[in-house]
Amino acid sequence: GRSFDRQLDSILQAAMDESRIPLLLFPGSDAITLEDSDAIEKIELLHQDTLRNGNANANANANAKELEEGISPASKDGNINVDDDGRKYLLVIVDGTWTQAKRMVRYSPILMDKCQQVQFTSTDASTRSIYDSIRKQPDSHCLSSLESCALTLKLLEPENGDVKEATSYLHSALKALVCIQIVQERKHLEKNPPQSILHQEKMENKKKRQLELESEVKQTLVKRQ
């Protein structure tokens, strides 16, 4: 039930002062789907609308103050000049279970007010979560926080070599973590085998996914050699 609005306000404002576009990775009816061909254009247009509205409000307040002081308000056209080259983003990712994430967003409305919501809906095998080998995801396109970050970066800047390298390291780190947890889980199950048939079926499905992941990791290591 804690709000992070006070801390977020200065962070988001600093980002906008640096001409960064604040994005909130969170699904919803108002979220821009990053796989869409015009997603980046939509983000830019909505950001410019936000800047114009903010500029208009600032001008209105300034004009009102000038009128109170008996000064004729200066003419302002409200145009915003944005350098499209090297556009920078501030990506906000809410880390936690889906229940926790929804609660944090609900208690921190500034995220919706100052950030443009973005989402992805990929469901192909290449973007399937490797984390579901140890924890079941709510839906086929749902990913862990780290995987979500990596995929979002690739969708935002597909031609950026630094992004490709960074996401590769992120995935390698997650695979290493998951593999360690798989080993520990198997040791635990050897000592404490599941009792119910339903639990046994779940564990068999989980084991199948874990074997697939281990095969993927081995293939990756072979390629690097």
Side-chain angles (χ1 to χ4, degrees), residues 30-204:
D30 295 329
I32 293 175
T33 301
L34 293 173
E35 290 95 338
D36 291 348
S37 59
D38 60 347
I40 302 300
E41 182 181 357
K42 286 180 180 177
I43 290 172
E44 183 64 40
L45 289 174
L46 287 172
H47 179 63
Q48 292 209 28
D49 285 343
T50 300
L51 291 177
R52 288 191 186 94
N53 291 335
N55 192 49
N57 291 335
N59 288 345
N61 292 335
N63 288 346
K65 184 176 181 180
E66 289 171 353
L67 286 171
E68 287 179 1
E69 296 174 353
I71 303 173
S72 178
S75 175
K76 304 177 181 66
D77 58 15
N79 290 331
I80 302 294
N81 294 318
V82 179
D83 181 9
D84 292 335
D85 296 331
R87 165 59 71 195
K88 301 294 185 180
Y89 303 98
L90 172 67
L91 180 60
V92 180
I93 297 177
V94 184
D95 186 31
T97 65
W98 278 104
T99 300
Q100 293 169 338
K102 290 174 183 176
R103 187 181 299 121
M104 283 188 277
V105 170
R106 185 170 67 250
Y107 283 103
S108 299
I110 193 173
L111 287 171
M112 295 294 192
D113 292 341
K114 291 196 174 184
C115 297
Q116 172 57 53
Q117 273 182 269
V118 294
Q119 63 183 2
F120 53 79
T121 57
S122 301
T123 56
D124 57 83
S126 65
T127 54
R128 187 173 58 165
S129 176
I130 63 173
Y131 196 64
D132 71 358
S133 58
I134 55 176
R135 176 175 291 179
K136 180 68 176 175
Q137 297 294 336
D139 208 339
S140 59
H141 67 269
C142 295
L143 304 176
S144 66
S145 298
L146 188 149
E147 290 169 310
S148 298
C149 177
L151 179 56
T152 303
L153 291 175
K154 288 200 294 185
L155 290 170
L156 286 172
E157 301 185 47
E159 304 303 322
N160 189 323
D162 291 337
V163 167
K164 292 178 181 178
E165 183 178 4
T167 54
S168 175
Y169 283 122
L170 288 173
H171 281 130
S172 296
L174 181 61
K175 285 180 180 179
L177 170 66
V178 170
C179 287
I180 290 172
Q181 290 192 324
I182 288 174
V183 171
Q184 295 304 315
E185 184 177 88
R186 285 177 181 168
K187 289 180 179 179
H188 173 76
L189 289 173
E190 286 176 1
K191 296 179 180 179
N192 305 278
Q195 301 299 320
S196 69
I197 295 177
L198 179 61
H199 196 187
Q200 288 174 7
E201 290 177 352
K202 286 183 177 179
M203 294 310 300
E204 284 300 317

Side-chain angles (χ1 to χ4, degrees), residues 208-222:
K208 181 180 178 181
R209 178 66 184 120
Q210 290 177 354
L211 291 173
E212 291 175 356
L213 173 61
E214 289 176 334
S215 176
E216 291 173 13
V217 172
K218 289 178 182 177
Q219 289 176 9
T220 302
L221 292 174
V222 170

